[in-house]
Amino acid sequence: MAFVCSAIWTAKPGEEDTVRDALSHLSPAARQEPGNLYYQAYQSPEEPAVFRIFEVYTDEDAFTAHVSSEHFDQWGTSQAIPALAERAHKTYETLDF
């Protein structure tokens, strides 16, 4: 079974470019991580402050390594997260049938 994270980041007013820039660096770095199977960020055309991030990892340990990585600290924790009004995520395990 793979480990899936579906995150929603909502930028503070005027901080959309900050979040988009952080994701433009974080996304390619995350795709290079051992254990990452898929990482894609989306921005809502109807609500430009809303960003969705869909991530798939081989297992929960790979996801934990992602959020503990240097690039997540630099682009996520230090840049994007302070620019957010709201942040939420849900995690799942795939059904392999």
Side-chain angles (χ1 to χ4, degrees), residues 2-74:
F3 188 82
V4 177
C5 178
S6 178
I8 301 173
W9 289 2
T10 304
K12 294 176 184 173
E15 293 288 352
E16 297 85 357
D17 288 344
T18 301
V19 176
R20 188 181 314 103
D21 180 64
L23 287 168
S24 77
H25 295 283
L26 181 58
S27 297
R31 291 183 191 117
Q32 299 302 311
E33 296 170 6
N36 178 271
L37 301 174
Y38 186 80
Y39 191 101
Q40 185 62 54
Y42 307 87
Q43 185 177 18
S44 172
E46 293 84 23
E47 300 174 281
V50 177
F51 297 84
R52 290 177 177 14
I53 307 159
F54 188 74
E55 310 167 54
V56 182
Y57 299 88
T58 52
D59 55 29
E60 189 172 359
D61 288 342
F63 175 74
T64 300
H66 164 69
V67 297
S68 301
S69 69
E70 184 178 316
H71 52 265
F72 188 85
D73 184 53
Q74 179 179 2

